[in-house]
Amino acid sequence: MRVAFATCSAMPDGYVDDQPVALELGADYRCWDDESVAWDSYDRVVIRSTWDYTDRLEQFVAWVARVGPERLRNRPELVRFNVDKRYLTLLSAATVPTTFVAPGEPAPVLSGEIVVKPTVSAGARDTGRFAPAAHALALELIERIHASDRSALVQPYLRSVDAEGEHAHVFLGGRYSHTLRKHAVLRADEIAPTTGDELNVATAMLREDLVVAAEPDPLQLRFAEGVVEEISALFGTPVYLRVDLVMDAGRPLLLELEAVEPTLYLELVPGSAQRFAAAILAC
């Protein structure tokens, strides 16, 4: 089977976390927006480090359609579903309460400590955390997101993130692979500082200790498995899926579902790269 890993021009050799998988499969790295690539010469095209697509969503979605369901993984229908965080309203799982604000709509009444970010985003760009005294800055961020013709979302900031972090459960080929714990990224009363380079991700995302491997909590794992079952029923078995959860009053809530280009932190978990390679060949 001939395999391509789709990446971006800022990372033509792919992200280091994926390289053992690419080596095992003999995969080529190809930039998703390179018009010279003959995508139909590959049996599988796996979306990995396409981290610039959020600025060119229409172009990316058109590329997804061209590569098509026979080759692209995850499949185009799941990718289109997952690129905009409005998918949170379409799943049966309990989610962090979210208010969506489209361009031209008035900002909601803000209450308590909140998080604001675009509905189409990656790398914590244009994302901020604001206590009540900084709600004016939150409103400015909403306006900034709208000025770029994007919708914003507003969520309560759950204090459990400071104490416990976020919990991510990774599934490969529809089967549980490993659990990760991510420390809090957002500092109070600021828009997350970014690197300012071509990818322009939040600087906190580059911390070496940001994510660690963790043992799965049975309650969280059952919740995550339910999300995977629902996604699989809608779109078929995903090659990869990362289910990001937070805890609130002892119950798990879905924070984000990552089915497009998540980092899977394979280097933290022995055997996970081999499981990923097997999933690509099987699904």
Side-chain angles (χ1 to χ4, degrees):
M1 181 177 289
R2 191 164 184 235
V3 178
F5 277 15
T7 185
C8 61
S9 58
M11 199 165 284
D13 297 321
Y15 185 54
V16 63
D17 192 50
D18 294 322
Q19 288 170 359
V21 187
L23 183 63
E24 180 151 334
L25 295 172
D28 300 325
Y29 282 102
R30 295 288 183 262
C31 295
W32 70 269
D33 57 352
D34 183 347
E35 296 183 0
S36 71
V37 177
W39 298 105
D40 58 1
S41 68
Y42 292 98
D43 302 292
R44 289 286 182 273
V45 177
V46 185
I47 300 176
R48 294 308 303 132
S49 41
T50 58
W51 293 333
D52 59 354
Y53 82 88
T54 58
D55 295 328
R56 292 177 288 157
L57 183 61
E58 290 186 8
Q59 182 182 350
F60 182 72
V61 170
W63 170 79
V64 163
R66 284 198 306 274
V67 178
E70 295 301 319
R71 293 180 178 81
L72 194 70
R73 299 294 183 270
N74 285 319
R75 290 180 173 85
E77 294 82 1
L78 177 52
V79 173
R80 288 194 293 268
F81 175 83
N82 192 232
V83 290
D84 190 309
K85 292 179 177 59
R86 289 186 183 89
Y87 67 77
L88 291 170
T89 66
L90 303 175
L91 295 172
S92 62
T95 64
V96 175
T98 305
T99 299
F100 296 94
V101 192
E105 293 182 346
V109 176
L110 304 181
S111 176
E113 190 167 19
I114 59 169
V115 172
V116 174
K117 56 186 169 182
T119 60
V120 178
S121 66
R125 304 182 194 104
D126 295 325
T127 299
R129 167 187 170 189
F130 310 99
H135 279 178
L137 186 57
L139 293 172
E140 289 178 13
L141 178 55
I142 292 173
E143 291 180 1
R144 176 167 136 186
I145 293 168
H146 285 174
S148 63
D149 199 30
R150 294 177 294 171
S151 295
L153 65 79
V154 181
Q155 296 173 323
Y157 184 80
L158 300 180
R159 283 292 179 177
S160 65
V161 176
D162 288 333
E164 306 173 29
E166 299 172 14
H167 309 268
H169 300 272
V170 176
F171 292 79
L172 301 172
R175 296 182 178 181
Y176 169 74
S177 173
H178 54 281
T179 295
L180 306 160
R181 183 167 64 87
K182 183 167 78 173
H183 299 295
V185 170
L186 302 177
R187 295 184 299 188
D189 301 338
E190 71 169 17
I191 300 170
T194 54
T195 55
D197 56 13
E198 190 173 354
L199 287 176
N200 199 34
V201 300
T203 54
M205 300 290 286
L206 304 180
R207 285 174 42 191
E208 290 187 3
D209 64 344
L210 178 66
V211 175
V212 296
E215 290 298 317
D217 172 83
L219 177 64
Q220 293 179 17
L221 184 55
R222 286 195 298 272
F223 182 95
E225 287 171 340
V227 174
V228 176
E229 288 175 6
E230 183 172 7
I231 290 298
S232 298
L234 290 170
F235 303 106
T237 302
V239 169
Y240 58 82
L241 201 63
R242 201 182 79 200
V243 183
D244 293 353
L245 311 176
V246 291
M247 297 299 292
D248 183 43
R251 63 174 185 147
L253 298 176
L254 179 64
L255 179 63
E256 290 193 9
L257 178 68
E258 297 280 6
V260 181
E261 34 60 69
T263 301
L264 303 174
Y265 298 95
L266 304 172
E267 80 281 2
L268 298 178
V269 184
S272 59
Q274 290 73 29
R275 290 193 289 274
F276 190 19
I280 290 168
L281 296 176
C283 293

